[in-house]
Amino acid sequence: MKQRPGASALVVGAVSDVGRVRTGNEDAFIAEQSVFGVADGMGGHQAGEVASAIAVQMLRDRLAGGAASIELAEAAVVEANTAIFNGARDNAEQRGMGTTLTAMIVLADGDPIRQFVLLNVGDSRTYRVRGGQLRRITVDHSYVQELVATGHITEAEARTHPRRNIVTRALGIESTVRVDSWVLPFVKGDRYLLCSDGLVDEVADTEIAQIVATHNDAQDAAQALVDAANEHGGRDNVTVVVIDVLEGDVSPDDTADLDRDLVWSDPAA
Ligand code: MN
C-alpha cells in the first residue's frame, strides 16, 4: 500500500469545546493524516456553524491525501469561500455567514523533502514551538492587528481591546478572498498549534507556552489548553489542534525561523 506522505511522521491531538458561556459551538476542525485545520464560524441562527463546517469539509474533500501543490491547497480554500458566499446569498437564514480558517496540509508533490503548506484567512492562529520557544506564524486579519502593525496600540493592548473580535478578512464575505500561504519544512521536534480566538483571548502566549511545554502528548496538550481557556472564563468556543513532527530535518538555528515565505494569492489576478 502506498504510504501517505508524512503520515507516520506526525502525531496529532485535537479538542473543540463550546466554552462556558455560548450555547452552540460554531468552531470546526479537521485533524486527519495529512490535513489539519481550525475554522471559527460567524453569523446568526447557527449560520456560523454552517460556514465553518463547509470550510473543513472542503479541505477533507479536496486535500484528504495531502496537497499535490501549493496552488491546489489554496484553490481548496478559494472554493470554500465560493461555497460559503453562495450559500449565504441563496439562503436567507444564512445571510452574512463567514468563517476564519487556519490550516496545515502536507505537500504530497513527490519532493523527498517533506513540507507543509500553511494557509490562513482571518484571526484564528497557527503557532510553532521550536526549541522551547512559542512563535506565532500566522498574521491575524483583524482590526486590532492593523492597529498593532501601524503602532497605534501594543500587542498587550490588543488582547483586551473592545474591538478585538472584528475580523478584516474571512471566508464567505466576498466573492473572492486573498489567502496567506507559507511553505514550512518538516523539522523533527517541532510542535504546531492551530487554534481559534477562544484560546488566545483567554490565555496569554506566555501561559500557552508553559502548557505546551508541560504536556508531552499532543492530545493532552490540546485538552490542557482548552481547559485553561475555560478556567479563564471560556467566553467563546475554543478549538485547538496540536501537531507533533516526529521526523524531518534537524532543527535549523533560530535565525532561520524568521524567513517566512508570505505569498499573496489573489484569485482576481
Ligand atoms: Mn471565536
Side-chain angles (χ1 to χ4, degrees):
M1 198 178 103
K2 193 164 171 280
Q3 178 79 23
R4 288 191 193 189
S8 63
L10 305 174
V11 171
V12 63
V15 177
S16 186
D17 191 84
V18 68
R20 292 260 165 96
V21 175
R22 304 284 175 93
T23 54
N25 190 350
E26 297 193 321
D27 288 358
F29 72 88
I30 179 169
E32 297 179 359
Q33 282 188 316
S34 301
V35 186
F36 312 93
V38 169
D40 180 348
M42 58 203 82
H45 305 286
Q46 282 85 51
E49 264 176 69
V50 174
S52 61
I54 291 171
V56 159
Q57 189 60 41
M58 192 66 77
L59 297 184
R60 186 174 284 118
D61 290 347
R62 296 289 180 268
L63 303 170
S69 69
I70 302 162
E71 290 75 18
L72 285 172
E74 291 174 346
V77 178
V78 171
E79 196 178 350
N81 181 75
T82 303
I84 297 163
F85 181 81
N86 290 344
R89 182 193 59 199
D90 298 341
N91 301 286
E93 69 280 11
Q94 292 168 3
R95 196 139 295 153
M97 71 173 170
T99 186
T100 71
L101 180 66
T102 191
M104 292 182 73
I105 296 108
V106 175
L107 265 179
D109 58 359
D111 191 322
I113 299 171
R114 283 171 297 182
Q115 301 177 105
F116 295 103
V117 55
L118 167 62
L119 303 166
N120 190 62
V121 177
D123 70 346
S124 295
R125 289 180 182 169
T126 294
Y127 291 85
R128 180 171 63 209
V129 185
R130 175 179 292 170
Q133 297 282 79
L134 180 81
R135 174 163 294 178
R136 196 187 312 168
I137 308 179
T138 50
V139 179
D140 294 351
H141 303 133
S142 66
Y143 174 69
V144 292
Q145 184 61 46
E146 290 181 4
L147 294 181
V148 170
T150 52
H152 287 87
I153 62 172
T154 65
E155 286 280 356
E157 287 165 342
R159 293 198 69 246
T160 56
H161 196 282
R163 301 179 75 185
R164 68 183 176 278
N165 293 319
I166 297 176
V167 294
T168 51
R169 230 196 278 178
L171 296 183
I173 305 304
E174 295 177 29
S175 61
T176 60
V177 67
R178 284 192 304 165
V179 183
D180 290 357
S181 68
W182 297 264
V183 174
L184 305 164
F186 277 34
V187 172
K188 188 176 179 176
D190 278 357
R191 169 174 273 186
Y192 289 94
L193 313 180
L194 287 63
C195 63
S196 60
D197 64 347
L199 177 70
V200 299
D201 281 354
E202 299 288 6
V203 187
D205 284 5
T206 49
E207 188 178 351
I208 292 173
Q210 280 172 357
I211 291 167
V212 296
T214 51
H215 292 82
N216 215 22
D217 177 77
Q219 184 67 31
D220 290 348
Q223 185 65 58
L225 289 166
V226 168
D227 290 347
N230 281 330
E231 283 157 19
H232 286 291
R235 283 161 283 195
D236 193 4
N237 309 142
V238 54
T239 302
V240 179
V241 173
V242 175
I243 307 163
D244 283 330
V245 183
L246 304 187
E247 297 170 16
D249 295 349
V250 292
S251 187
D253 79 74
D254 203 44
T255 55
D257 226 19
L258 291 168
D259 62 354
R260 315 194 294 192
D261 180 23
L262 177 58
V263 185
W264 295 109
S265 169
D266 187 351

Short mmCIF file of all heavy atoms in Angstrom, two decimals, residues 78-118:
data_model
loop_
_atom_site.label_atom_id
_atom_site.label_comp_id
_atom_site.label_asym_id
_atom_site.label_seq_id
_atom_site.Cartn_x
_atom_site.Cartn_y
_atom_site.Cartn_z
N VAL A 78 -10.13 28.78 -1.69
CA VAL A 78 -10.91 29.69 -2.55
C VAL A 78 -12.27 29.05 -2.87
O VAL A 78 -13.31 29.72 -2.87
CB VAL A 78 -10.13 30.03 -3.83
CG1 VAL A 78 -11.01 30.78 -4.83
CG2 VAL A 78 -8.88 30.84 -3.48
N GLU A 79 -12.26 27.74 -3.09
CA GLU A 79 -13.51 27.03 -3.39
C GLU A 79 -14.44 27.04 -2.18
O GLU A 79 -15.66 27.19 -2.31
CB GLU A 79 -13.18 25.59 -3.82
CG GLU A 79 -14.33 24.90 -4.50
CD GLU A 79 -13.99 23.48 -4.97
OE1 GLU A 79 -12.80 23.08 -4.94
OE2 GLU A 79 -14.92 22.77 -5.34
N ALA A 80 -13.86 26.90 -0.99
CA ALA A 80 -14.68 27.00 0.23
C ALA A 80 -15.28 28.39 0.35
O ALA A 80 -16.45 28.55 0.72
CB ALA A 80 -13.82 26.69 1.46
N ASN A 81 -14.50 29.41 0.03
CA ASN A 81 -15.02 30.78 0.06
C ASN A 81 -16.24 30.92 -0.84
O ASN A 81 -17.26 31.48 -0.45
CB ASN A 81 -13.92 31.75 -0.38
CG ASN A 81 -14.38 33.20 -0.34
OD1 ASN A 81 -14.48 33.77 0.73
ND2 ASN A 81 -14.70 33.76 -1.50
N THR A 82 -16.12 30.39 -2.05
CA THR A 82 -17.23 30.48 -3.01
C THR A 82 -18.46 29.74 -2.50
O THR A 82 -19.58 30.26 -2.59
CB THR A 82 -16.77 29.88 -4.36
OG1 THR A 82 -15.62 30.58 -4.82
CG2 THR A 82 -17.88 29.98 -5.41
N ALA A 83 -18.25 28.55 -1.94
CA ALA A 83 -19.38 27.76 -1.45
C ALA A 83 -20.11 28.47 -0.30
O ALA A 83 -21.35 28.49 -0.25
CB ALA A 83 -18.90 26.38 -0.99
N ILE A 84 -19.36 29.08 0.59
CA ILE A 84 -19.97 29.79 1.72
C ILE A 84 -20.65 31.06 1.24
O ILE A 84 -21.78 31.37 1.64
CB ILE A 84 -18.91 30.10 2.80
CG1 ILE A 84 -18.33 28.80 3.36
CG2 ILE A 84 -19.53 30.94 3.93
CD1 ILE A 84 -17.02 28.97 4.11
N PHE A 85 -19.98 31.78 0.35
CA PHE A 85 -20.56 33.02 -0.20
C PHE A 85 -21.87 32.73 -0.93
O PHE A 85 -22.88 33.41 -0.71
CB PHE A 85 -19.54 33.66 -1.16
CG PHE A 85 -20.00 34.95 -1.76
CD1 PHE A 85 -19.91 36.14 -1.05
CD2 PHE A 85 -20.53 34.98 -3.05
CE1 PHE A 85 -20.34 37.34 -1.61
CE2 PHE A 85 -20.96 36.18 -3.62
CZ PHE A 85 -20.87 37.35 -2.90
N ASN A 86 -21.89 31.68 -1.74
CA ASN A 86 -23.11 31.34 -2.47
C ASN A 86 -24.20 30.85 -1.52
O ASN A 86 -25.38 31.17 -1.72
CB ASN A 86 -22.82 30.27 -3.53
CG ASN A 86 -21.99 30.81 -4.68
OD1 ASN A 86 -21.86 32.02 -4.85
ND2 ASN A 86 -21.40 29.92 -5.46
N GLY A 87 -23.81 30.11 -0.50
CA GLY A 87 -24.79 29.65 0.49
C GLY A 87 -25.43 30.81 1.22
O GLY A 87 -26.65 30.82 1.47
N ALA A 88 -24.63 31.79 1.56
CA ALA A 88 -25.16 32.97 2.26
C ALA A 88 -26.07 33.79 1.35
O ALA A 88 -27.06 34.37 1.79
CB ALA A 88 -23.99 33.84 2.75
N ARG A 89 -25.72 33.81 0.06
CA ARG A 89 -26.53 34.57 -0.91
C ARG A 89 -27.88 33.89 -1.14
O ARG A 89 -28.91 34.54 -1.28
CB ARG A 89 -25.75 34.66 -2.23
CG ARG A 89 -26.43 35.47 -3.33
CD ARG A 89 -25.74 35.22 -4.66
NE ARG A 89 -25.78 33.79 -5.00
CZ ARG A 89 -24.97 33.20 -5.88
NH1 ARG A 89 -24.05 33.90 -6.51
NH2 ARG A 89 -25.06 31.90 -6.13
N ASP A 90 -27.88 32.55 -1.15
CA ASP A 90 -29.07 31.81 -1.57
C ASP A 90 -30.00 31.42 -0.43
O ASP A 90 -31.11 30.96 -0.67
CB ASP A 90 -28.65 30.54 -2.33
CG ASP A 90 -27.86 30.86 -3.60
OD1 ASP A 90 -27.96 32.01 -4.08
OD2 ASP A 90 -27.14 29.97 -4.10
N ASN A 91 -29.54 31.55 0.83
CA ASN A 91 -30.36 31.14 1.96
C ASN A 91 -30.50 32.31 2.93
O ASN A 91 -29.51 32.73 3.53
CB ASN A 91 -29.71 29.96 2.69
CG ASN A 91 -29.53 28.76 1.77
OD1 ASN A 91 -30.49 28.08 1.45
ND2 ASN A 91 -28.31 28.53 1.33
N ALA A 92 -31.74 32.79 3.08
CA ALA A 92 -31.97 33.99 3.88
C ALA A 92 -31.45 33.83 5.31
O ALA A 92 -30.88 34.75 5.88
CB ALA A 92 -33.46 34.32 3.90
N GLU A 93 -31.61 32.62 5.88
CA GLU A 93 -31.23 32.43 7.29
C GLU A 93 -29.72 32.30 7.45
O GLU A 93 -29.22 32.27 8.58
CB GLU A 93 -31.95 31.21 7.89
CG GLU A 93 -31.52 29.86 7.36
CD GLU A 93 -32.14 29.48 6.01
OE1 GLU A 93 -32.76 30.34 5.34
OE2 GLU A 93 -32.00 28.31 5.62
N GLN A 94 -28.99 32.24 6.33
CA GLN A 94 -27.53 32.15 6.41
C GLN A 94 -26.84 33.41 5.90
O GLN A 94 -25.62 33.44 5.71
CB GLN A 94 -27.03 30.92 5.62
CG GLN A 94 -27.46 29.63 6.29
CD GLN A 94 -27.25 28.40 5.44
OE1 GLN A 94 -26.73 28.48 4.33
NE2 GLN A 94 -27.67 27.25 5.95
N ARG A 95 -27.63 34.46 5.69
CA ARG A 95 -27.06 35.70 5.15
C ARG A 95 -25.96 36.23 6.07
O ARG A 95 -26.13 36.28 7.28
CB ARG A 95 -28.18 36.74 5.01
CG ARG A 95 -27.80 37.91 4.13
CD ARG A 95 -28.96 38.33 3.22
NE ARG A 95 -29.30 37.27 2.25
CZ ARG A 95 -30.51 37.10 1.73
NH1 ARG A 95 -31.51 37.86 2.09
NH2 ARG A 95 -30.72 36.13 0.86
N GLY A 96 -24.85 36.62 5.47
CA GLY A 96 -23.77 37.20 6.25
C GLY A 96 -22.86 36.20 6.94
O GLY A 96 -21.95 36.58 7.66
N MET A 97 -23.11 34.90 6.72
CA MET A 97 -22.23 33.93 7.41
C MET A 97 -20.82 33.98 6.83
O MET A 97 -20.59 34.34 5.68
CB MET A 97 -22.80 32.51 7.31
CG MET A 97 -22.74 31.87 5.95
SD MET A 97 -23.26 30.12 6.05
CE MET A 97 -23.39 29.72 4.30
N GLY A 98 -19.88 33.61 7.67
CA GLY A 98 -18.49 33.55 7.24
C GLY A 98 -17.71 32.70 8.22
O GLY A 98 -18.24 32.22 9.22
N THR A 99 -16.44 32.51 7.92
CA THR A 99 -15.60 31.74 8.85
C THR A 99 -14.12 32.10 8.64
O THR A 99 -13.72 32.48 7.55
CB THR A 99 -15.79 30.21 8.64
OG1 THR A 99 -15.07 29.51 9.67
CG2 THR A 99 -15.29 29.74 7.29
N THR A 100 -13.38 31.98 9.71
CA THR A 100 -11.93 32.01 9.60
C THR A 100 -11.46 30.63 9.17
O THR A 100 -12.23 29.67 9.24
CB THR A 100 -11.27 32.31 10.97
OG1 THR A 100 -11.43 31.15 11.80
CG2 THR A 100 -11.89 33.53 11.65
N LEU A 101 -10.23 30.51 8.76
CA LEU A 101 -9.63 29.19 8.54
C LEU A 101 -8.13 29.30 8.67
O LEU A 101 -7.50 30.13 8.01
CB LEU A 101 -9.98 28.65 7.14
CG LEU A 101 -9.40 27.28 6.82
CD1 LEU A 101 -9.99 26.18 7.69
CD2 LEU A 101 -9.61 26.94 5.33
N THR A 102 -7.57 28.50 9.55
CA THR A 102 -6.11 28.32 9.56
C THR A 102 -5.87 26.83 9.37
O THR A 102 -6.51 26.01 10.03
CB THR A 102 -5.46 28.89 10.84
OG1 THR A 102 -4.04 28.93 10.69
CG2 THR A 102 -5.81 28.10 12.10
N ALA A 103 -5.01 26.48 8.41
CA ALA A 103 -4.89 25.07 8.04
C ALA A 103 -3.46 24.73 7.64
O ALA A 103 -2.75 25.56 7.05
CB ALA A 103 -5.83 24.73 6.88
N MET A 104 -3.05 23.52 7.96
CA MET A 104 -1.76 22.99 7.51
C MET A 104 -2.02 21.70 6.74
O MET A 104 -2.73 20.82 7.22
CB MET A 104 -0.83 22.72 8.69
CG MET A 104 -0.39 24.00 9.38
SD MET A 104 0.75 23.70 10.74
CE MET A 104 2.23 23.24 9.82
N ILE A 105 -1.45 21.63 5.54
CA ILE A 105 -1.65 20.48 4.68
C ILE A 105 -0.29 19.94 4.27
O ILE A 105 0.60 20.72 3.91
CB ILE A 105 -2.48 20.86 3.43
CG1 ILE A 105 -3.89 21.31 3.85
CG2 ILE A 105 -2.61 19.70 2.47
CD1 ILE A 105 -4.15 22.75 3.71
N VAL A 106 -0.13 18.62 4.34
CA VAL A 106 1.13 18.03 3.90
C VAL A 106 1.22 18.15 2.38
O VAL A 106 0.26 17.83 1.67
CB VAL A 106 1.21 16.54 4.33
CG1 VAL A 106 2.47 15.89 3.77
CG2 VAL A 106 1.18 16.43 5.85
N LEU A 107 2.36 18.65 1.90
CA LEU A 107 2.58 18.75 0.46
C LEU A 107 2.97 17.36 -0.04
O LEU A 107 3.99 16.80 0.36
CB LEU A 107 3.69 19.75 0.16
CG LEU A 107 3.24 21.18 -0.17
CD1 LEU A 107 4.48 22.04 -0.43
CD2 LEU A 107 2.30 21.23 -1.36
N ALA A 108 2.15 16.83 -0.93
CA ALA A 108 2.37 15.49 -1.47
C ALA A 108 2.78 15.62 -2.93
O ALA A 108 2.16 15.08 -3.83
CB ALA A 108 1.10 14.67 -1.32
N ASP A 109 3.84 16.39 -3.15
CA ASP A 109 4.24 16.71 -4.53
C ASP A 109 5.40 15.85 -5.02
O ASP A 109 5.99 16.13 -6.06
CB ASP A 109 4.59 18.21 -4.64
CG ASP A 109 5.70 18.61 -3.68
OD1 ASP A 109 6.19 17.73 -2.93
OD2 ASP A 109 6.08 19.79 -3.68
N GLY A 110 5.72 14.80 -4.26
CA GLY A 110 6.78 13.90 -4.68
C GLY A 110 8.17 14.33 -4.26
O GLY A 110 9.13 13.58 -4.40
N ASP A 111 8.30 15.54 -3.75
CA ASP A 111 9.59 16.03 -3.26
C ASP A 111 9.97 15.21 -2.03
O ASP A 111 9.18 15.06 -1.11
CB ASP A 111 9.46 17.51 -2.90
CG ASP A 111 10.81 18.17 -2.65
OD1 ASP A 111 11.69 17.51 -2.06
OD2 ASP A 111 10.96 19.33 -3.03
N PRO A 112 11.19 14.64 -2.01
CA PRO A 112 11.58 13.84 -0.84
C PRO A 112 11.68 14.67 0.44
O PRO A 112 11.61 14.12 1.54
CB PRO A 112 12.93 13.25 -1.23
CG PRO A 112 13.44 14.12 -2.33
CD PRO A 112 12.22 14.65 -3.04
N ILE A 113 11.88 15.98 0.30
CA ILE A 113 11.88 16.84 1.48
C ILE A 113 10.43 17.17 1.82
O ILE A 113 9.75 17.86 1.06
CB ILE A 113 12.68 18.14 1.23
CG1 ILE A 113 14.12 17.80 0.89
CG2 ILE A 113 12.61 19.05 2.44
CD1 ILE A 113 14.92 18.99 0.40
N ARG A 114 9.97 16.63 2.92
CA ARG A 114 8.55 16.81 3.24
C ARG A 114 8.29 18.20 3.77
O ARG A 114 9.09 18.75 4.54
CB ARG A 114 8.11 15.73 4.23
CG ARG A 114 7.91 14.39 3.52
CD ARG A 114 7.68 13.29 4.48
NE ARG A 114 8.85 13.11 5.34
CZ ARG A 114 8.94 12.19 6.26
NH1 ARG A 114 7.93 11.37 6.47
NH2 ARG A 114 10.02 12.08 7.00
N GLN A 115 7.17 18.73 3.36
CA GLN A 115 6.82 20.10 3.73
C GLN A 115 5.33 20.20 4.01
O GLN A 115 4.54 19.40 3.54
CB GLN A 115 7.16 21.05 2.56
CG GLN A 115 8.61 21.04 2.16
CD GLN A 115 8.85 21.94 0.96
OE1 GLN A 115 9.39 23.03 1.09
NE2 GLN A 115 8.42 21.51 -0.20
N PHE A 116 4.99 21.25 4.76
CA PHE A 116 3.60 21.63 4.93
C PHE A 116 3.35 22.89 4.10
O PHE A 116 4.24 23.72 3.92
CB PHE A 116 3.32 22.06 6.38
CG PHE A 116 3.44 21.02 7.42
CD1 PHE A 116 4.56 20.97 8.25
CD2 PHE A 116 2.40 20.10 7.65
CE1 PHE A 116 4.66 20.05 9.27
CE2 PHE A 116 2.50 19.17 8.67
CZ PHE A 116 3.63 19.15 9.48
N VAL A 117 2.11 23.06 3.66
CA VAL A 117 1.66 24.38 3.27
C VAL A 117 0.70 24.86 4.37
O VAL A 117 -0.17 24.12 4.80
CB VAL A 117 1.04 24.42 1.87
CG1 VAL A 117 -0.10 23.43 1.71
CG2 VAL A 117 0.59 25.83 1.51
N LEU A 118 0.98 26.06 4.86
CA LEU A 118 0.15 26.69 5.89
C LEU A 118 -0.68 27.76 5.21
O LEU A 118 -0.15 28.59 4.47
CB LEU A 118 1.05 27.32 6.96
CG LEU A 118 0.41 28.29 7.96
CD1 LEU A 118 -0.66 27.60 8.80
CD2 LEU A 118 1.48 28.91 8.86
#
